Amino acid sequence: MFTPRSIRHCRACGAPTEYRTPADDNRERAVCTACDTVHYENPLNVVGTVPELDGRVLLCRRNIEPRKGFWTLPAGFMELGETTAQGALRETAEEAGADIALGPLFTVLNVPHVGQLHLYYLARMTSPRLDPGPETIEARLFDEAEVPWDELAFRTVRYTLERFFDDRRRGQFGTHSADIA
Amino acid sequence: MFTPRSIRHCRACGAPTEYRTPADDNRERAVCTACDTVHYENPLNVVGTVPELDGRVLLCRRNIEPRKGFWTLPAGFMELGETTAQGALRETAEEAGADIALGPLFTVLNVPHVGQLHLYYLARMTSPRLDPGPETIEARLFDEAEVPWDELAFRTVRYTLERFFDDRRRGQFGTHSADIA
């Protein structure tokens, strides 16, 4: 999804664009050579959950690239018209078919080299039922000792799981921010 | 900036798009009628700060629409290649010319009806110097009793200031999430 400077034509009129700095701006944008429409490119939000049931955590094995075959927390791109919490609930339903009660915001993780911000919520599974969707090979619950640390899909997932188990040991959950370089 | 379903032409080839649900998707996207490129539209992040100096808070009077003439905390759209913290620092420099030391993430506010997520950081001004940019009519420091509550530009600014003064009274700052309906 991270394709900066990929706008070759204007979304309004279809004419070619060129990358230049508009008069009232301080960085290059794709500007239409015919109608002067300025096209902005901005970071995307990925929203997900840390679903827990009886002390175990739900992970999904990815059936899509990137990182197909690796394990992830349920998460995906936030859509227009929804909140971060609604997106996190939706992705958990789509990828794992899990019923959850959403808890507080848990991690806020910048991944600037791919133009993304990842936000994970704590969640409690309200039923053991799982029904993975087409983007998931399998979904299952892991004790802390069973977590496949070497087969995790993304560093934001590792960071979020590490903070989760740390906070659970201390008996107090915070909201954690970090940058993934 | 919130213009959903505004993609009339393909950014890759310039041909007309149509809004339809791609085969592997569950919502309508702008799909190119010539090359099948799918164009996604996603929420934007607005990042800003609550700069404090000697117990007073820095506000900027907007010189641009929307809400020209109203008061705001320094904030603006997050750019590709930067983190939320870097964007918040940049906007504070651009809008107020203020030198700050950034503190922790303070508010995370969904504004789904305009497709935005607002994130504010606590900040300490390291100098009383102010040098407002072209987007700001004036920048000045306010005691709590002086804050122009009826002339604030956005509800996310009001929410963030309310939490700031509340937390300061309790002597403990948290990270606050909310949805602005």
Side-chain angles (χ1 to χ4, degrees), chain A residues 45-47 76-80 82-84 90, chain B residues 42-43 110 117:
Chain A
N45 293 333
V46 170
V47 289
F77 288 108
M78 183 186 181
E79 299 277 3
L80 277 180
E82 69 186 6
T83 64
T84 47
R90 176 183 52 72
Chain B
N42 298 87
N110 278 280
L117 181 68

Side-chain angles (χ1 to χ4, degrees), chain A residues 103-125:
Chain A
L105 181 61
F106 183 58
T107 54
V108 179
L109 304 172
N110 278 279
V111 198
H113 66 283
V114 292
Q116 294 178 4
L117 181 68
H118 292 212
L119 302 104
Y120 281 95
Y121 286 81
L122 297 179
R124 185 173 49 77
M125 287 177 63

Side-chain angles (χ1 to χ4, degrees), chain A residues 61-94:
Chain A
R61 200 145 75 88
R62 288 172 63 82
N63 195 30
I64 51 171
E65 295 296 349
R67 303 291 278 164
K68 183 173 176 174
F70 287 80
W71 292 90
T72 184
L73 291 162
F77 288 108
M78 183 186 181
E79 299 277 3
L80 277 180
E82 69 186 6
T83 64
T84 47
Q86 289 166 341
L89 268 171
R90 176 183 52 72
E91 288 290 344
T92 305
E94 287 178 3

Side-chain angles (χ1 to χ4, degrees), chain A residues 2 8-14 26-27 29 41-45 78-80 83-84 94 105 110 177, chain B residues 2 8-14 26-27 29 41-45 78-80 83-84 94 105 110 177:
Chain A
F2 185 62
R8 295 186 181 172
H9 291 268
C10 175
R11 77 162 68 82
C13 75
N26 53 22
R27 64 182 68 202
R29 315 283 182 186
E41 292 154 276
N42 297 87
L44 294 174
N45 293 333
M78 183 186 181
E79 299 277 3
L80 277 180
T83 64
T84 47
E94 287 178 3
L105 181 61
N110 278 279
S177 298
Chain B
F2 185 63
R8 294 187 182 171
H9 290 269
C10 176
R11 78 163 67 82
C13 76
N26 54 22
R27 66 182 67 202
R29 315 284 184 186
E41 292 153 277
N42 298 87
L44 295 174
N45 293 333
M78 182 185 182
E79 298 277 3
L80 276 180
T83 64
T84 46
E94 288 179 2
L105 180 62
N110 278 280
S177 298

